[in-house]
Amino acid sequence: MTAAEVKSLPAGNVQKLAYDVRTRILEVVGANGGHLASSLGAVELAIALVREFDPERDRIVWDVGHQSYAWKILTGRDAAFGTLRRHHGLSGFPNPDESPCDAFVGGHAGAALAAAQGMA
């Protein structure tokens, strides 16, 4: 799914999208390992951000990089999401080398404030 598809989705279909994104995260993390709680809890947030902002232009900063799994799926990386945390696959964190939708390489809590200040 691309950001444009998320934006054009009728509001009545957003709940189904959230369900589908959670299902995809569960499938991939179940096979590859990863962080469930933070990603599953941020699905609606990621959907709202994609619907309201331009992910390639607006800098979205994730303080906990593990929350970005839904973000990856919704910004054009769903087809590659099965490679999450695999050799030569998608990173478990935001990574600008993967997508212009990732503002910086975000890892664990605490780096986002400094990154956002630097971007500003």
Side-chain angles (χ1 to χ4, degrees):
M1 175 155 281
T2 66
E5 292 169 324
V6 175
K7 285 181 184 300
S8 67
L9 193 68
N13 294 14
V14 171
Q15 187 174 2
K16 168 93 168 74
L17 175 61
Y19 175 85
D20 292 345
V21 168
R22 281 196 174 88
T23 299
R24 181 80 167 127
I25 291 170
L26 286 168
E27 291 169 350
V28 171
V29 172
N32 298 3
H35 298 269
L36 281 176
S38 53
S39 282
L40 295 177
V43 171
E44 284 84 2
L45 174 61
I47 292 170
L49 289 169
V50 170
R51 286 175 68 85
E52 294 299 320
F53 296 98
D54 178 352
E56 290 191 23
R57 187 195 72 219
D58 299 318
R59 304 292 72 195
I60 304 299
V61 178
W62 295 92
D63 191 42
V64 178
H66 303 301
Q67 292 175 322
S68 69
Y69 293 178
W71 181 257
K72 289 172 181 280
I73 291 168
L74 298 169
T75 56
R77 291 170 273 180
D78 185 31
F81 194 67
T83 69
L84 182 76
R85 298 171 52 99
R86 297 282 189 219
H87 186 63
H88 297 298
L90 292 181
S91 170
F93 302 103
N95 185 342
D97 290 338
E98 282 180 11
S99 172
C101 299
D102 292 350
F104 80 113
V105 178
H108 295 93
L113 291 177
Q117 184 177 9
M119 288 177 206

